[in-house]
């Protein structure tokens, strides 16, 4: 059976108002780039006629501007899940208006299965990017996978953007597997980072496939360069690992590393590469960044498993150019496998994620600024943190030129509790919270991670309550946040008014 080829505009016409649409990819990697733009144009045209046009959005994680940006600017989104990073989508989510985008944040490992369970509504249309699609319905993803196997199987129609900028020899990089639903779920037979259990393509009934030929570059841009603060955080994490190796807490062959997205993650990996006391190691993560490719070529990383190649365009070209070298050193999986908590625990993955703020008892806020404004979402941090061999959160001690302390009496929004957070690292040091009671944790975090300017204030807060297992004062715990909202600087927090 031959496939049906259409233009991007014709493909967009297959999407109707109120449809639920699933998109391939994970970050900008592997995301469709032309059909979503045409859907946005169609929405604007319908709105100009006085007609409603909005779609529900399922994604693997964040996307490129062609999806989140275009659709948000066209006011074409009725709901969105999960993680996002686009400024226009963020503004729509945080908007105070009659019909804001309904955004529900989810652990990335759970998205595909909750779609399958029917909790989120059906999938009307899947729009995916591929480097190859066959007449028999074999679809080979590009640089990111996300929830692609599930949305392709469940969708009534599948629109495939066949991107000739991605070489077809990407086939073989992916390991595509979909979990069975309870009560018939079987174990995942992955017992080492490089293990495989699935196919190198997604198999779809060819009668529901519509192909759009494209020629679009990756939407990647480089992360902010490593600066003095992030470099110091990287050094602190690296030195902590060396200490753990010497104590025998980490095996001499080391353990797989998961690192979040951004310049701090790159700084940590760079510091590990420079530390001669850290052996060559593997990566079991969601996002494979530029630093991982560099370390592979230099022999510091032996293998990487992820959900996406979230690379700058320059690094992406290098990957394609040296694909024969990288093909045997990495694998891309669906997010329910790359982020699977059971596999994280089985493999002994060390999780490293970024905090917006942490409180003196070890609770972490990863998502909301000042407690109410969504930044990006929880992403995969929860998938890894709860099950990690060691869960580490990294953060600069301050933001906004020192006017915001990342270490506070109580987080304004809690994503990760003290029960899951084992280590916190700032540019000032490492707070190892393992085996420590509440007061000891507070002292560890204040003295090792807080900016020196804020340490006296944090000690003032800690002295307010003399009884109880957790010395929390519900009258004063948000004094840092109140001071910032009222004066623009947390350093103006005043705990004397709470003292009896």
């Amino acid at each position: 059976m031959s496939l049906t080829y259409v233009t991007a505009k014709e493909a967009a016409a297959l999407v109707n108002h109120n449809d639920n649409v699933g998109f391939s990819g994970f970050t900008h990697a592997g995301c469709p780039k032309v059909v979503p733009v045409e859907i946005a144009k169609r929405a604007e045209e319908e709105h100009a006629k006085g007609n409603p046009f909005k779609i529900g959005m399922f994604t693997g994680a964040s996307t490129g501007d062609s999806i989140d940006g275009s659709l948000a600017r066209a006011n074409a989104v009725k709901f969105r899940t999960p993680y996002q990073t686009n400024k226009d989508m963020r503004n729509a989510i945080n908007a105070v208006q009659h019909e804001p985008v309904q955004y529900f944040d989810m652990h990335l490992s759970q998205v595909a299965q909750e779609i399958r369970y029917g909790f989120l509504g059906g999938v009307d249309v899947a729009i995916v990017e591929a480097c190859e699609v066959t007449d028999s319905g074999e679809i080979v993803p590009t640089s990111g996978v996300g929830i692609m196997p599930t949305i392709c199987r469940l969708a009534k129609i599948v629109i495939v953007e066949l991107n000739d900028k991605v070489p077809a020899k990407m086939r073989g990089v992916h390991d595509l597997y979909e979990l069975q639903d309870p009560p018939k779920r079987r174990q995942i037979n992955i017992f080492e980072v490089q293990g495989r259990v699935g196919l190198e393509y997604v198999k779809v009934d060819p009668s529901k496939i519509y192909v759009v030929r494209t020629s679009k570059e990756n939407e990647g841009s480089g992360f902010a360069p490593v600066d003095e603060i992030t470099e110091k955080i990287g050094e602190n994490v690296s030195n902590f690992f060396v200490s753990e190796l010497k104590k025998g807490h980490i095996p001499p062959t080391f353990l797989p590393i998961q690192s979040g997205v951004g310049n701090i993650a790159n700084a940590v990996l760079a510091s590990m590469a420079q530390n001669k006391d850290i052996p060559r190691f593997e990566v079991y993560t969601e996002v494979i960044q530029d630093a991982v490719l560099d370390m592979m070529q230099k022999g510091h990383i032996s293998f990487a498993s992820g959900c996406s190649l979230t690379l700058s365009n320059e690094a992406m070209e290098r990957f394609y150019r040296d694909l024969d070298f990288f093909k045997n050193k990495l694998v891309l999986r669906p997010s329910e496998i790359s982020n699977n908590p059971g596999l994280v625990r089985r493999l002994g993955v060390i999780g490293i994620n970024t905090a917006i703020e942490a409180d003196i008892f070890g609770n972490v806020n990863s998502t909301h600024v000042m407690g109410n404004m969504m930044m990006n979402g929880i992403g995969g941090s929860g998938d890894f943190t709860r099950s990690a061999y060691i869960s580490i959160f990294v953060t600069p001690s301050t933001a906004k030129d020192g006017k915001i302390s990342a270490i506070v009496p109580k987080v304004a929004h809690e994503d990760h509790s003290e029960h899951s957070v084992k280590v916190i690292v700032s540019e000032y040091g490492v707070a190892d919270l393992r085996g420590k009671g509440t007061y000891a944790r507070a002292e560890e975090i204040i003295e090792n991670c807080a900016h020196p300017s804020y340490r006296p204030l944090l000690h003032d807060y800690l002295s307010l309550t003399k009884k109880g297992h957790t010395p929390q004062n519900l009258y004063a715990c948000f004094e840092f946040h109140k001071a910032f909202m009222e004066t623009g600087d947390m350093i103006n927090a005043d705990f004397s008014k709470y003292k009896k």
Side-chain angles (χ1 to χ4, degrees):
M1 177 180 180
S2 60
L3 299 173
T4 302
Y5 286 78
V6 296
T7 66
K9 187 173 183 179
E10 289 169 337
L14 299 171
V15 180
N16 299 309
H17 168 62
N18 220 34
D19 275 354
N20 291 339
V21 181
F23 295 92
S24 69
F26 196 94
T27 68
H28 61 263
C31 288
K33 302 171 180 64
V34 298
V35 177
V37 174
E38 291 298 327
I39 295 173
K41 291 178 182 177
R42 185 173 171 215
E44 291 172 338
E45 290 169 359
E46 292 299 320
H47 295 161
K49 298 174 186 176
N51 299 326
F53 192 99
K54 289 191 176 187
I55 63 171
M57 292 179 61
F58 302 127
T59 68
S62 58
T63 70
D65 188 71
S66 297
I67 298 178
D68 272 332
S70 295
L71 293 170
R73 290 189 291 271
N75 192 27
V77 183
K78 64 175 180 178
F79 73 78
R80 168 78 167 83
T81 191
Y83 187 83
Q84 52 71 46
T85 57
N86 182 271
K87 64 178 182 179
D88 294 309
M89 183 63 73
R90 184 185 302 119
N91 289 339
I93 289 167
N94 287 320
V96 180
Q97 59 187 39
H98 179 60
E99 292 185 39
V101 171
Q102 296 299 311
Y103 175 67
F104 41 100
D105 200 12
M106 293 179 63
H107 299 296
L108 300 185
S109 68
Q110 295 181 320
V111 178
Q113 72 175 17
E114 297 215 356
I115 292 173
R116 291 196 299 269
Y117 296 166
F119 294 169
L120 309 179
V123 182
D124 297 294
V125 182
I127 307 176
V128 303
E129 185 180 69
C131 63
E132 182 185 357
V133 56
T134 69
D135 287 344
S136 63
E138 295 178 1
I139 305 172
V140 180
T142 58
S143 56
V145 182
I147 56 175
M148 185 170 169
T150 293
I151 60 173
C152 284
R153 183 172 60 82
L154 295 181
K156 298 168 187 172
I157 64 172
V158 178
I159 299 170
V160 179
E161 291 193 6
L162 184 58
N163 192 348
D164 66 14
K165 290 292 185 180
V166 183
K169 66 178 182 177
M170 276 285 286
R171 187 176 182 127
V173 168
H174 309 88
D175 182 45
L176 305 174
Y177 179 77
E178 195 176 7
L179 293 178
Q180 303 87 0
D181 291 336
K184 300 292 186 179
R185 179 169 293 180
R186 307 293 295 173
Q187 73 275 12
I188 305 169
N189 290 319
I190 294 175
F191 303 100
E192 53 191 6
V193 171
Q194 60 267 40
R196 287 174 175 258
V197 290
L199 302 173
E200 58 190 24
Y201 55 83
V202 175
K203 187 70 169 68
V204 175
D205 178 356
S207 67
K208 68 177 187 179
I209 295 177
Y210 295 81
V211 182
V212 178
R213 294 189 182 277
T214 70
S215 186
K216 285 287 185 179
E217 297 284 355
N218 190 38
E219 289 188 311
S221 58
F223 295 104
V226 173
D227 57 23
E228 184 179 354
I229 291 176
T230 53
E231 182 178 22
K232 187 60 181 174
I233 292 172
E235 289 177 7
N236 289 340
V237 173
S238 181
N239 291 335
F240 169 75
F241 286 152
V242 172
S243 174
E244 291 294 284
L245 281 164
K246 290 178 179 178
K247 292 175 183 176
H249 293 168
I250 295 176
T253 53
F254 216 71
L255 289 167
I257 292 291
Q258 174 262 336
S259 60
V261 181
N263 62 335
I264 298 181
N266 280 328
V268 170
L269 292 172
S271 182
M272 291 178 68
Q274 294 166 10
N275 196 314
K276 295 180 180 179
D277 292 322
I278 295 178
R280 192 164 74 145
F281 59 92
E282 297 173 316
V283 170
Y284 193 89
T285 190
E286 48 192 353
V287 172
I288 297 173
Q289 300 186 151
D290 291 20
V292 175
L293 296 193
D294 295 337
M295 293 173 71
M296 277 184 173
Q297 291 183 310
K298 294 175 182 176
H300 299 298
I301 290 176
S302 57
F303 196 91
S305 169
C307 188
S308 73
L309 290 165
T310 304
L311 306 174
S312 64
N313 286 346
E314 180 183 0
M316 196 80 245
E317 286 302 315
R318 176 157 50 98
F319 175 81
Y320 292 150
R321 191 169 55 248
D322 298 332
L323 188 52
D324 290 337
F325 171 83
F326 290 115
K327 204 167 185 177
N328 296 322
K329 292 179 173 58
L330 61 82
V331 61
L332 298 180
R333 313 181 191 273
S335 51
E336 64 179 341
I337 305 298
S338 68
N339 290 44
N340 186 275
L343 292 178
V344 171
R345 184 162 293 184
R346 176 188 294 170
L347 297 172
V349 176
I350 297 173
I352 309 170
N353 290 283
T354 304
I356 289 177
E357 62 180 0
D359 66 32
I360 59 175
F361 305 114
N363 304 294
V364 166
N365 172 11
S366 295
T367 59
H368 286 75
V369 176
M370 290 293 134
N372 66 325
M373 300 298 285
M374 171 60 69
M375 178 58 72
N376 300 324
I378 197 168
S381 59
D383 297 325
F384 287 92
T385 294
R386 185 70 182 273
S387 297
Y389 186 88
I390 304 174
S391 59
I392 302 171
F393 276 90
V394 293
T395 180
S397 64
T398 61
K400 298 290 184 184
D401 298 320
K403 294 181 173 60
I404 292 177
S405 173
I407 306 300
V408 295
K410 182 172 177 58
V411 289
H413 177 93
E414 185 175 315
D415 294 295
H416 309 282
S417 79
E418 62 190 81
H419 308 294
S420 302
V421 180
K422 306 304 181 186
V423 177
I424 298 174
V425 182
S426 79
E427 73 272 28
Y428 287 101
V430 176
D432 186 351
L433 311 182
R434 294 171 296 177
K436 293 183 172 67
T438 311
Y439 286 88
R441 284 202 303 272
E443 292 290 343
E444 182 89 359
I445 293 169
I446 293 170
E447 291 304 315
N448 293 341
C449 292
H451 190 282
S453 299
Y454 284 96
R455 290 175 191 173
L457 285 170
L458 292 166
H459 282 297
D460 283 349
Y461 174 77
L462 193 59
S463 69
L464 290 178
T465 303
K466 303 297 184 183
K467 295 182 179 180
H469 174 258
T470 301
Q472 200 72 270
N473 185 305
L474 297 182
Y475 295 100
C477 60
F478 294 119
E479 177 64 20
F480 271 32
H481 301 88
K482 288 190 287 185
F484 181 79
M485 290 187 291
E486 292 170 1
T487 72
D489 197 332
M490 285 187 176
I491 203 69
N492 294 320
D494 179 12
F495 292 106
S496 63
K497 57 190 174 186
Y498 302 104
K499 295 179 179 179
K500 295 181 180 179

